[in-house]
Amino acid sequence: MSGLPLELREGDTTGALHHRGDLARRSHACYDNPTMTPNCLIIRTAGTNCDNELAHAFELAGAGTQRVHLNQLIATPELIDEAQLIGFPG
């Protein structure tokens, strides 16, 4: 198991596994700036439901949301680059 990027931390009595070297924290700017709000791109199209509920859930978790129709995303694929999260309502 030593090849896994997880470890038990000495003194941690919870038994939780932690990323060795904080791999997740090095992966995105949101982790470097704890006051930064992650942006969630919610992709919607005809026939999908619950995009409002999905946006509300992300907002309750502290993320900003942007609802984008699939056709707009096809026309402007750079929108994905601005998002840290992507939500697909069902």
Side-chain angles (χ1 to χ4, degrees), residues 9-10 12 16 24 27-28 30 41 49 55 69-70 75 86 89:
R9 292 201 177 143
E10 192 171 332
D12 185 349
S27 65
H28 201 277
C30 288
L41 186 68
N49 297 312
H69 192 276
L70 182 60
I86 298 177

Side-chain angles (χ1 to χ4, degrees), residues 5-29:
L6 300 173
E7 64 185 2
L8 289 170
R9 292 201 177 143
E10 192 171 332
D12 185 349
T13 59
T14 65
L17 292 173
H18 302 274
H19 284 280
R20 185 177 301 137
D22 284 329
L23 294 175
R25 292 195 172 273
R26 290 184 281 146
S27 65
H28 201 277

